[in-house]
Amino acid sequence: MTGKSEAVYERLKGDIESLRLRPGAKLGEVQIGEELGASRTPVREAIRRLAQEGLVDFVPGEVARVAAISLGGVRSLFEFRMMLEPGAAASVAASGATDPRVLTPFGALRERLEEFDESFRALDAVGQAGAYQGFYDITEAFDQAVIAACRNPYLARSIRDLRSQTVRLRHLSHSGPRRMATSLEEHRAMLKAILQGDTRAAEAACSHHLAQTLQALIDSLTSQEPMPGVDVQLDAVI
């Protein structure tokens, strides 16, 4: 992939993950090229790569569109994550028990989490509602640390390949400060288990977190007031 195509890919991917480009939005090659100062070839290459990652759909006879979100797709994604990520968390806990160097980033993350928790609790309701990004940064750092510390390259790659879908759904989980506080406790439990080298607790804590996150997403997507402009297919169930 050329440098220009890579730049277009990163821009479009970021816009899709952050929902600046909403599910169902058209991706016209000419328009995107004009906006980003690129010819149609690098734009086309970037869109094809995003399609391979499941972020873009090709509709026969139409331009490409940002992939819609369905309840069935959300459930399928989390079902697959539940097969992978608890095992990765257990693997990292086992590795840390024999090589303390593995635990260094997780110790730093626990400190960040505790600092965030203290400041979060001191905020009023308005301040807490605006604190999402700081928390997302910590949880993303945790996920990336697990991937980096996972010694099975196939498992690590499989989890990494799901990150774009996971990040996009994270921005749809607008369940409020209560869910953020609960998720904070779930991440505290995962960090504790990994730092203690407790493989069973790490696996169980990760499974619990994923199950709770899935339920929060389902509740959010089926709420009376879904996020404006988001194409959610409620009838696409598994």
Side-chain angles (χ1 to χ4, degrees), residues 74-195:
V74 169
R75 291 190 177 105
S76 294
L77 172 64
F78 273 80
E79 181 180 278
F80 192 34
R81 290 184 66 189
M82 288 176 188
M83 294 178 183
L84 301 176
E85 294 180 32
S91 173
V92 173
S95 297
T98 58
D99 184 359
R101 293 173 298 179
V102 172
L103 302 179
T104 299
F106 296 97
L109 278 169
R110 182 167 62 178
E111 292 182 6
R112 284 180 63 186
L113 191 70
E114 297 305 332
E115 291 173 358
F116 176 86
D117 188 24
E118 182 177 356
S119 62
F120 179 74
R121 293 177 186 276
L123 297 171
D124 58 18
V126 176
Q128 288 183 347
Y132 286 105
Q133 190 56 53
F135 182 64
Y136 290 159
D137 291 344
I138 294 173
T139 58
E140 179 64 22
F142 172 80
D143 292 337
Q144 293 298 336
V146 170
I147 292 171
C150 182
R151 294 186 175 179
N152 185 316
Y154 298 102
L155 179 56
R157 186 179 304 116
S158 296
I159 295 172
R160 185 183 299 112
D161 288 346
L162 298 176
R163 293 307 304 156
S164 293
Q165 294 288 353
T166 299
V167 170
R168 185 165 73 138
L169 289 173
R170 175 185 295 160
H171 287 276
L172 282 175
S173 184
H174 55 291
S175 302
R178 180 178 298 179
R179 172 55 195 158
M180 186 192 297
T182 303
S183 183
L184 189 150
E185 291 300 326
E186 292 162 7
H187 280 83
R188 180 179 282 125
M190 289 188 285
L191 283 166
K192 178 181 178 181
I194 288 173
L195 289 167

